[in-house]
Amino acid sequence: MNNWNKTTRITYKKWRDPEISVVSLRGEVDIVGRSDEDQGTDYEICTTAKQSNSRSASNKTEETFTVEDAVEAIGFGKFQWKLSILTGLSWMADAMEMMILSILAPELHCQWRLPGFQVALITSVVFIGMGISSSLWGNVCDKYGRRIGLTISMVWTLYYGLLSAFAPVYGWILLLRGLVGFGIGGSPQSVTLYSEFLPMKTRAACIMLIEIFWAIGAVFEVLLAIWIMPTLGWRWLLGLSTLPMMVFVAFCFWLPESARFDVLIGKRENALATLNRIAAQNGKSMPKGTLTAKKLEDRGRIRDLLTPQYRRTTLLLWLIWFTNAFCYYGIVLLTTELFQAGDGCGVTQGAKIEPSCSLECKNLTLADYKDLLWTTLAEFPGIFIALLVIDRIGRKKSMALCFVMFFLSVLPLFACTGRTALTVFIFIARAFITGGFQVVYVYTPEVFPTETRALGLGTSSGMGRVGALLTPFVAQVLLRTSVYLTLSVYCGISLLAAMASMCLPTETSGRGLQESSDSTGEQEKTRTSQQSNGEAPTPHISYGYTNQEEQDGSAY
């Protein structure tokens, strides 16, 4: 009888399965008439919720969702269309600043009587600025926000772009164009911001959609040059080329901060407010439950890109980005060089292009502008080719296909071809290298997690700028020595990039965006931790009696 007077402690153990609750009775109690030897053991009485009302109530209290779940539920709608146009304007501005290089250099060469190396430096200094700043803008966007980094970079580019139109001498144009390049290095972060608001099924197609703005910007720059250059000159061309940036800066206040970034820095309320606003604009409902958040203090560290998990991916992507920019801007510069040299027969028979004097200049004629326009229009079929294959054969194979087709399109330039055939082959080559550029812009934000996504894209873009920096010395300088050697360089590096594309360890097609580097292995780590601590990984029902007692029913 004294056993009944002892204190009994009741503890509740909460299982992961909401349908099961466990009650443990601890104490020296002889509840079922056990002997003294059995006293002091733990007895667990488990009850399973059988009522549907209890089950739904339990689920309701524990229901959560992630930003990825919310983005998928909201889908693609009115908000994404607005974001497409605004971020597309930053791409259009980037394309126009790049396309103007092939028009500005010949004009200044003639007007200021610049030697060849100074002309090449006008192009190179822009890419030097872009190469230096790309990783810096990525670091800013990973630490302080995508919206802040993108807005500052566009305001910077607009300011120095306008100032460069008033450059009085060569030294000033060199300095100001270099600062323009520094600002342009942040424009790829528009893809980072844009991709983080896109559902998985439409992500590739949507990123391709804003890439169309690049093609529109390149074509618009050529048309603007045809209209402006004969009458108003290069200063007006530089000033009017900043129009898309002006529109972007005027409406950048509407840009939201990435909800994924807000969650990452612990601002769950801001992320939820952004998602609710998007859902309201799209006419969709948010998932029920609580938005989960995982705050990370260490973000935007370049060493995170070189961890064993991402080292191979990072290095291969740097090579692919380098090759894309090297070949893309190379074919752009080769277009004007080969057109000014005459038809392909004259070029390949002599195997070199030699002006009689380094100060000799040739202004672009109307025929040159028309051919430049035709080859620039190759941007559009290149985008449509990439859009056609990217979800059918995957990102890796799409990149490899574009590099191989670029190689096959450059090969005929070794032979004697007329001006029409030269235009056709350059058109095809530019179409496929453009398509490869679009695919890698889709792949890179998908393969890196939110904590390093902007930096991963920024450093990759920086390697691309290095390729763009070096390509003028091949397309404009080496070309004077040997056309065959110049074309061989582009053919060889494109095949190398095709192999690198197939060696990438991850295919991102059909995969959601990662929030952190350990998100994929988090569940496995939890399971391993539970097992090492002696915890049961999954809930089970224990009634506190032996198998023999269960058989003969003595416990009851």
XYZ file of all heavy atoms in Angstrom, residues 298-363:
528
model
N 27.002 34.217 -42.575
C 28.102 34.219 -43.536
C 27.554 34.030 -44.940
O 27.120 32.944 -45.324
C 29.098 33.103 -43.208
C 29.738 33.290 -41.844
O 29.973 34.448 -41.472
O 29.987 32.279 -41.157
N 27.577 35.109 -45.708
C 27.059 35.062 -47.071
C 28.037 35.774 -48.000
O 28.794 36.639 -47.586
C 25.699 35.773 -47.171
C 24.645 35.241 -46.238
C 23.331 35.997 -46.410
N 23.480 37.435 -46.282
C 23.497 38.083 -45.123
N 23.369 37.428 -43.994
N 23.639 39.404 -45.094
N 28.012 35.383 -49.251
C 28.825 36.070 -50.245
C 30.322 35.880 -50.056
O 31.103 36.783 -50.360
N 30.763 34.702 -49.554
C 32.190 34.427 -49.397
C 32.678 33.618 -50.590
O 32.131 32.558 -50.897
C 32.450 33.670 -48.102
C 32.004 34.399 -46.840
C 32.267 33.583 -45.599
N 31.624 32.276 -45.671
C 31.699 31.375 -44.707
N 32.388 31.639 -43.607
N 31.094 30.211 -44.829
N 33.741 34.089 -51.223
C 34.214 33.430 -52.428
C 34.740 32.040 -52.131
O 34.707 31.145 -52.986
C 35.278 34.299 -53.137
C 35.485 33.792 -54.580
C 36.575 34.300 -52.358
C 36.267 34.748 -55.445
N 35.217 31.810 -50.899
C 35.715 30.474 -50.579
C 34.599 29.434 -50.558
O 34.868 28.239 -50.698
C 36.455 30.495 -49.245
C 35.608 30.779 -48.020
C 36.461 30.606 -46.752
N 35.706 30.893 -45.543
C 35.703 32.058 -44.930
N 36.397 33.058 -45.451
N 35.017 32.249 -43.823
N 33.352 29.881 -50.384
C 32.237 28.939 -50.421
C 32.025 28.371 -51.821
O 31.434 27.303 -51.980
C 30.950 29.617 -49.942
C 30.993 29.952 -48.453
O 31.752 29.281 -47.734
O 30.281 30.886 -48.030
N 32.484 29.101 -52.842
C 32.379 28.598 -54.210
C 33.417 27.531 -54.512
O 33.288 26.801 -55.502
C 32.550 29.744 -55.215
C 31.563 30.909 -55.118
C 31.928 31.983 -56.131
C 30.141 30.418 -55.348
N 34.450 27.446 -53.663
C 35.544 26.509 -53.903
C 35.575 25.387 -52.882
O 36.601 24.710 -52.726
C 36.876 27.271 -53.898
C 37.008 28.370 -54.960
C 38.306 29.129 -54.789
C 36.919 27.773 -56.367
N 34.478 25.171 -52.171
C 34.372 24.013 -51.298
C 34.283 22.750 -52.146
O 33.978 22.818 -53.341
C 33.126 24.127 -50.411
O 31.951 24.218 -51.254
C 33.194 25.351 -49.514
N 34.570 21.579 -51.568
C 34.495 20.342 -52.368
C 33.161 20.148 -53.078
O 33.112 19.551 -54.151
C 34.738 19.245 -51.318
C 35.579 19.918 -50.267
C 35.085 21.334 -50.208
N 32.087 20.661 -52.481
C 30.771 20.488 -53.076
C 30.606 21.272 -54.379
O 29.914 20.829 -55.305
C 29.694 20.929 -52.074
C 28.265 20.717 -52.560
C 27.239 21.140 -51.527
O 27.611 21.594 -50.430
N 25.963 21.000 -51.839
N 31.265 22.453 -54.485
C 31.060 23.328 -55.636
C 32.327 23.631 -56.438
O 32.245 24.331 -57.443
C 30.454 24.667 -55.165
C 29.031 24.546 -54.696
C 28.725 24.581 -53.339
C 27.993 24.377 -55.604
C 27.407 24.452 -52.900
C 26.681 24.247 -55.183
C 26.398 24.285 -53.831
O 25.101 24.157 -53.403
N 33.477 23.106 -56.006
C 34.732 23.475 -56.669
C 34.720 23.119 -58.151
O 35.044 23.943 -59.018
C 35.907 22.787 -55.988
C 37.268 23.207 -56.567
C 38.406 22.428 -55.946
N 38.456 22.636 -54.505
C 38.317 21.660 -53.603
N 38.112 20.413 -54.011
N 38.377 21.917 -52.321
N 34.350 21.888 -58.474
C 34.357 21.445 -59.874
C 33.369 22.257 -60.708
O 33.681 22.697 -61.818
C 34.018 19.959 -59.939
C 34.036 19.378 -61.344
C 33.696 17.903 -61.289
N 33.540 17.335 -62.620
C 33.101 16.090 -62.859
N 32.806 15.300 -61.834
N 32.967 15.653 -64.083
N 32.189 22.469 -60.165
C 31.180 23.259 -60.874
C 31.674 24.676 -61.130
O 31.532 25.212 -62.241
C 29.876 23.305 -60.057
O 29.369 21.975 -59.904
C 28.826 24.153 -60.750
N 32.258 25.309 -60.112
C 32.716 26.689 -60.241
C 33.797 26.821 -61.304
O 33.729 27.702 -62.175
C 33.244 27.198 -58.890
O 32.188 27.146 -57.918
C 33.743 28.623 -59.000
N 34.802 25.950 -61.263
C 35.918 26.054 -62.204
C 35.468 25.794 -63.639
O 35.902 26.482 -64.572
C 37.027 25.069 -61.807
C 37.703 25.350 -60.460
C 38.757 24.294 -60.146
C 38.329 26.742 -60.429
N 34.593 24.808 -63.822
C 34.101 24.528 -65.170
C 33.237 25.676 -65.693
O 33.315 26.047 -66.873
C 33.305 23.224 -65.183
C 34.127 21.938 -65.039
C 33.211 20.721 -64.928
C 35.081 21.769 -66.219
N 32.424 26.254 -64.805
C 31.595 27.393 -65.226
C 32.450 28.600 -65.584
O 32.131 29.337 -66.523
C 30.600 27.757 -64.124
C 29.285 26.979 -64.110
C 28.434 27.391 -62.921
C 28.513 27.180 -65.405
N 33.528 28.818 -64.853
C 34.419 29.932 -65.200
C 34.983 29.756 -66.607
O 35.075 30.719 -67.375
C 35.547 30.029 -64.180
C 35.107 30.624 -62.866
C 33.864 31.131 -62.573
C 35.882 30.751 -61.680
N 33.815 31.575 -61.271
C 35.047 31.356 -60.689
C 37.186 30.409 -61.336
C 35.501 31.622 -59.405
C 37.637 30.677 -60.045
C 36.800 31.284 -59.097
N 35.355 28.520 -66.945
C 35.866 28.256 -68.290
C 34.777 28.474 -69.342
O 35.026 29.076 -70.403
C 36.400 26.826 -68.383
C 36.820 26.343 -69.778
C 37.936 27.206 -70.345
C 37.244 24.875 -69.735
N 33.564 28.012 -69.054
C 32.454 28.151 -70.004
C 32.098 29.620 -70.211
O 31.876 30.079 -71.338
C 31.239 27.339 -69.506
C 31.556 25.842 -69.573
C 29.993 27.655 -70.333
C 30.527 24.969 -68.875
N 32.045 30.376 -69.121
C 31.747 31.810 -69.236
C 32.851 32.537 -70.004
O 32.575 33.413 -70.838
C 31.585 32.425 -67.843
C 30.205 32.293 -67.279
C 29.678 31.218 -66.626
C 29.159 33.271 -67.320
N 28.384 31.468 -66.252
C 28.037 32.721 -66.653
C 29.069 34.558 -67.828
C 26.845 33.410 -66.509
C 27.879 35.257 -67.679
C 26.786 34.682 -67.020
N 34.103 32.196 -69.711
C 35.228 32.802 -70.420
C 35.091 32.560 -71.919
O 35.232 33.487 -72.735
C 36.543 32.213 -69.896
C 37.765 32.697 -70.624
C 38.457 33.815 -70.188
C 38.230 32.037 -71.751
C 39.581 34.278 -70.860
C 39.353 32.480 -72.441
C 40.029 33.605 -71.987
N 34.804 31.314 -72.289
C 34.696 30.965 -73.706
C 33.508 31.635 -74.372
O 33.605 32.108 -75.512
C 34.597 29.436 -73.860
O 35.701 28.830 -73.189
C 34.602 29.030 -75.318
N 32.388 31.676 -73.676
C 31.200 32.325 -74.240
C 31.481 33.779 -74.606
O 31.181 34.225 -75.720
C 30.045 32.255 -73.239
C 29.049 31.170 -73.555
O 28.649 30.993 -74.700
N 28.645 30.409 -72.552
N 32.049 34.521 -73.651
C 32.327 35.936 -73.912
C 33.439 36.099 -74.942
O 33.371 36.982 -75.806
C 32.704 36.635 -72.604
N 34.465 35.255 -74.861
C 35.582 35.322 -75.799
C 35.093 35.122 -77.235
O 35.474 35.865 -78.152
C 36.616 34.255 -75.429
C 37.876 34.312 -76.242
C 38.903 35.171 -75.905
C 38.044 33.493 -77.351
C 40.079 35.223 -76.651
C 39.198 33.539 -78.108
C 40.220 34.407 -77.745
N 34.234 34.134 -77.423
C 33.733 33.840 -78.778
C 32.656 34.826 -79.215
O 32.613 35.234 -80.387
C 33.189 32.413 -78.824
S 34.452 31.138 -78.616
N 31.784 35.224 -78.293
C 30.691 36.134 -78.656
C 31.239 37.487 -79.107
O 30.936 37.963 -80.207
C 29.732 36.314 -77.478
C 28.634 37.315 -77.744
C 27.470 36.944 -78.406
C 28.773 38.645 -77.354
C 26.466 37.865 -78.666
C 27.780 39.568 -77.599
C 26.629 39.174 -78.258
O 25.658 40.101 -78.518
N 32.038 38.124 -78.236
C 32.575 39.441 -78.603
C 33.614 39.322 -79.708
O 33.822 40.274 -80.480
C 33.164 40.135 -77.372
C 32.109 40.506 -76.364
C 32.013 39.844 -75.148
C 31.188 41.511 -76.627
C 31.038 40.170 -74.223
C 30.205 41.847 -75.712
C 30.136 41.174 -74.508
O 29.161 41.493 -73.608
N 34.259 38.165 -79.802
C 35.186 37.941 -80.905
C 34.495 37.951 -82.249
O 34.963 38.587 -83.201
N 33.339 37.278 -82.343
C 32.627 37.242 -83.621
C 32.024 38.607 -83.943
O 31.884 38.981 -85.111
C 31.545 36.132 -83.615
C 31.198 35.697 -85.041
C 30.303 36.557 -82.881
C 32.308 34.987 -85.742
N 31.672 39.382 -82.885
C 31.169 40.744 -83.107
C 32.260 41.627 -83.707
O 32.039 42.341 -84.684
C 30.641 41.351 -81.790
C 30.354 42.846 -81.972
C 29.379 40.632 -81.332
N 33.462 41.550 -83.130
C 34.568 42.362 -83.636
C 35.053 41.867 -84.994
O 35.419 42.664 -85.863
C 35.725 42.353 -82.625
C 35.433 43.021 -81.272
C 36.609 42.835 -80.324
C 35.125 44.490 -81.440
N 35.060 40.543 -85.192
C 35.465 39.999 -86.484
C 34.534 40.455 -87.597
O 34.953 40.604 -88.749
C 35.493 38.471 -86.429
C 36.744 37.808 -85.856
C 36.548 36.304 -85.750
C 37.964 38.122 -86.718
N 33.278 40.671 -87.259
C 32.307 41.083 -88.276
C 32.740 42.383 -88.944
O 32.828 42.466 -90.172
C 30.916 41.251 -87.631
O 30.521 40.015 -87.033
C 29.892 41.645 -88.681
N 33.022 43.408 -88.147
C 33.427 44.694 -88.736
C 34.806 44.607 -89.382
O 35.044 45.220 -90.425
C 33.425 45.789 -87.648
O 34.251 45.359 -86.549
C 32.027 46.035 -87.132
N 35.719 43.831 -88.779
C 37.067 43.710 -89.340
C 37.042 43.030 -90.711
O 37.677 43.491 -91.665
C 37.970 42.923 -88.384
C 38.296 43.637 -87.088
C 39.195 44.836 -87.299
O 39.997 44.824 -88.246
O 39.094 45.797 -86.510
N 36.313 41.923 -90.806
C 36.272 41.180 -92.065
C 35.485 41.932 -93.131
O 35.814 41.875 -94.318
C 35.666 39.795 -91.841
C 36.486 38.847 -90.942
C 35.755 37.519 -90.761
C 37.874 38.609 -91.512
N 34.446 42.637 -92.717
C 33.679 43.415 -93.692
C 34.525 44.557 -94.255
O 34.472 44.856 -95.447
C 32.409 43.978 -93.052
C 31.321 42.946 -92.870
C 30.272 43.171 -91.988
C 31.349 41.754 -93.579
C 29.268 42.230 -91.818
C 30.352 40.800 -93.411
C 29.316 41.037 -92.528
N 35.295 45.221 -93.423
C 36.142 46.313 -93.897
C 37.288 45.809 -94.769
O 37.770 46.521 -95.641
C 36.716 47.092 -92.705
C 35.699 48.008 -92.034
C 36.336 48.882 -90.965
O 37.296 48.489 -90.310
N 35.800 50.078 -90.795
N 37.708 44.531 -94.544
C 38.808 43.972 -95.331
C 38.356 43.528 -96.709
O 39.174 43.269 -97.580
C 39.428 42.792 -94.587
N 37.050 43.396 -96.913
C 36.538 42.930 -98.205
C 35.943 41.558 -98.061
O 35.571 41.119 -96.983
N 35.868 40.823 -99.197
C 35.247 39.505 -99.163
C 36.210 38.487 -98.562
O 37.386 38.734 -98.325
C 34.790 39.062 -100.559
C 35.925 38.986 -101.557
O 37.093 38.890 -101.115
O 35.644 39.027 -102.766
N 35.679 37.299 -98.323
C 36.457 36.246 -97.687
C 37.613 35.780 -98.531
O 38.630 35.317 -98.007
N 37.531 35.833 -99.864
C 38.610 35.371 -100.725
C 39.854 36.229 -100.536
O 40.966 35.725 -100.411
C 38.174 35.392 -102.191
S 36.856 34.215 -102.579
N 39.632 37.527 -100.483
C 40.770 38.411 -100.291
C 41.422 38.218 -98.945
O 42.632 38.367 -98.801
N 40.623 37.872 -97.950
C 41.158 37.685 -96.616
C 41.945 36.390 -96.523
O 43.088 36.349 -96.079
C 40.010 37.706 -95.580
C 40.533 37.299 -94.219
C 39.389 39.079 -95.523
N 41.313 35.284 -96.940
C 41.935 33.988 -96.727
C 43.079 33.711 -97.684
O 44.006 32.976 -97.344
C 40.885 32.871 -96.880
O 40.260 33.001 -98.159
C 39.838 32.969 -95.807
N 43.071 34.272 -98.861
C 44.176 34.039 -99.777
C 45.464 34.679 -99.260
O 46.542 34.128 -99.377
C 43.842 34.601 -101.162
C 42.846 33.732 -101.932
C 42.452 34.348 -103.258
O 42.854 35.468 -103.576
N 41.678 33.618 -104.038
N 45.341 35.840 -98.676
C 46.518 36.485 -98.116
C 46.850 35.998 -96.724
O 47.949 36.192 -96.248
N 45.871 35.342 -96.081
C 46.033 34.777 -94.740
C 46.370 35.833 -93.694
O 46.781 35.518 -92.606
C 47.098 33.678 -94.726
N 46.210 37.115 -94.025
C 46.427 38.170 -93.048
C 45.801 39.461 -93.560
O 45.485 39.596 -94.741
C 47.912 38.383 -92.785
C 48.721 38.796 -94.000
C 50.196 38.919 -93.637
C 51.022 39.284 -94.863
N 52.448 39.433 -94.524
N 45.611 40.405 -92.644
C 45.085 41.721 -92.987
C 46.120 42.746 -92.559
O 46.450 42.839 -91.371
C 43.743 41.992 -92.295
C 42.710 40.951 -92.700
C 43.241 43.374 -92.607
C 41.396 41.087 -91.980
N 46.644 43.500 -93.481
C 47.704 44.454 -93.166
C 47.357 45.846 -93.687
O 47.434 46.106 -94.891
C 49.034 44.010 -93.788
C 49.586 42.735 -93.176
C 50.939 42.382 -93.763
O 51.342 43.046 -94.743
O 51.581 41.465 -93.250
N 46.982 46.752 -92.826
C 46.811 48.137 -93.265
C 48.169 48.746 -93.536
O 49.174 48.378 -92.945
C 46.126 48.814 -92.069
C 46.509 47.987 -90.891
C 46.636 46.578 -91.394
N 48.188 49.691 -94.434
C 49.457 50.289 -94.816
C 50.057 51.128 -93.703
O 51.257 51.343 -93.654
C 49.264 51.162 -96.066
O 48.287 52.162 -95.800
N 49.236 51.587 -92.777
C 49.732 52.436 -91.696
C 48.828 52.253 -90.481
O 47.624 52.069 -90.628
C 49.745 53.900 -92.123
S 50.199 55.057 -90.806
N 49.430 52.317 -89.284
C 48.612 52.127 -88.083
C 47.620 53.259 -87.882
O 46.658 53.130 -87.135
C 49.520 52.019 -86.843
O 50.228 53.227 -86.655
N 47.864 54.420 -88.541
C 46.948 55.548 -88.413
C 45.896 55.566 -89.512
O 45.035 56.432 -89.521
C 47.743 56.856 -88.437
C 48.695 57.087 -87.252
C 49.436 58.397 -87.437
C 47.944 57.070 -85.934
N 45.997 54.624 -90.455
C 45.007 54.588 -91.537
C 43.651 54.203 -90.964
O 43.541 53.294 -90.140
C 45.432 53.572 -92.595
C 44.460 53.463 -93.757
C 44.860 52.375 -94.743
O 45.899 51.746 -94.519
O 44.102 52.168 -95.704
N 42.619 54.873 -91.377
C 41.295 54.606 -90.833
C 40.283 54.472 -91.953
O 40.451 55.026 -93.040
C 40.860 55.718 -89.875
S 40.522 57.291 -90.683
N 39.237 53.715 -91.619
C 38.123 53.554 -92.536
C 36.839 53.723 -91.748
O 36.544 52.943 -90.849
C 38.143 52.162 -93.184
C 39.295 51.927 -94.144
C 39.194 50.540 -94.760
C 40.331 50.286 -95.739
N 40.248 48.923 -96.328
N 36.085 54.751 -92.067
C 34.793 54.930 -91.424
C 33.825 53.851 -91.888
O 33.883 53.388 -93.031
C 34.215 56.311 -91.756
C 34.925 57.427 -91.014
O 35.097 57.362 -89.803
N 35.353 58.447 -91.746
